[in-house]
Amino acid sequence: GDSVTQMEGPVTLSEEAFLTINCTYTATGYPSLFWYVQYPGEGLQLLLKATKADDKGSNKGFEATYRKETTSFHLEKGSVQVSDSAVYFCALSAISGAGSYQLTFGKGTKLSVIP
Amino acid sequence: SAVISQKPSRDICQRGTSLTIQCQVDSQVTMMFWYRQQPGQSLTLIATANQGSEATYESGFVIDKFPISRPNLTFSTLTVSNMSPEDSSIYLCSVELAGGRDTQYFGPGTRLTVL
């Protein structure tokens, strides 16, 4: 079945450091790929998405490129802020046997940014 | 996107009781989903809430334990029945917008603690 593997956390960075959170996937067909963010005590927010190979999703300074050849969708940000402290989930969406799109999530990576 | 609200935002319940969680969306949506996020874990899909018919449950989840209603295109409820401490989790609803194909938007979640 489909699966998503993302780098284990927690990750602790100083403010203005460069961020990479690795994500690889296994899927049949051509899934859409997503990054969701969960701030402390809140639900999930869609951060960015990409729907086909070589697409780059970007939002709030974060970006990720859909790499079909390496089945990866790594999240990057050039300069993190304390307010970026959250848990980040990589996910893929593919059609289920019932004909609806279903999300498969990675385990999440907790990021802490210190001043 | 859509504005999604959940009630209650949190609750503390006694073992053996039941809790009904409501999910309200500010626009008509095609698909609604219910997820469980156990402490420190990723999200697991419980079921797809179908409007006008029974929900479609994922492996490991049954209707007797998690009855779901979806009376219209903007509202759904999830009941956690006969609760035990193992049911302590965050429960999230999500929606797929008309024309949104494969992108889901999440509510803020309901944090449930069972004593």
Side-chain angles (χ1 to χ4, degrees), chain A residues 22-103:
Chain A
N22 290 337
C23 172
T24 58
Y25 67 91
T26 302
T28 54
Y30 303 95
S32 294
L33 302 174
F34 305 83
W35 279 99
Y36 285 88
V37 58
Q38 186 175 35
Y39 297 101
E42 299 185 12
L44 267 69
Q45 297 179 24
L46 177 64
L47 181 59
L48 53 84
K49 64 179 279 191
T51 58
K52 62 183 188 296
D54 299 326
D55 263 4
K56 178 186 285 188
S58 61
N59 186 26
K60 299 182 181 180
F62 291 90
E63 59 182 36
T65 302
Y66 191 145
R67 301 285 188 201
K68 191 170 183 300
E69 64 276 13
T70 54
T71 61
S72 66
F73 193 54
H74 304 322
L75 182 68
E76 296 182 336
K77 186 174 185 183
S79 176
V80 293
Q81 305 300 313
V82 172
S83 57
D84 294 326
S85 298
V87 180
Y88 292 82
F89 292 94
C90 184
L92 67 82
S93 178
I95 292 184
S96 71
S100 63
Y101 285 93
Q102 287 197 358
L103 284 175

Side-chain angles (χ1 to χ4, degrees), chain A residues 105, chain B residues 34-38 42-47 58-59 61:
Chain A
F105 285 89
Chain B
W34 286 99
Y35 289 82
R36 180 175 72 183
Q37 185 181 21
Q38 293 178 302
S42 187
L43 281 77
T44 301
L45 179 64
I46 297 172
E58 297 301 304
S59 175
F61 297 96

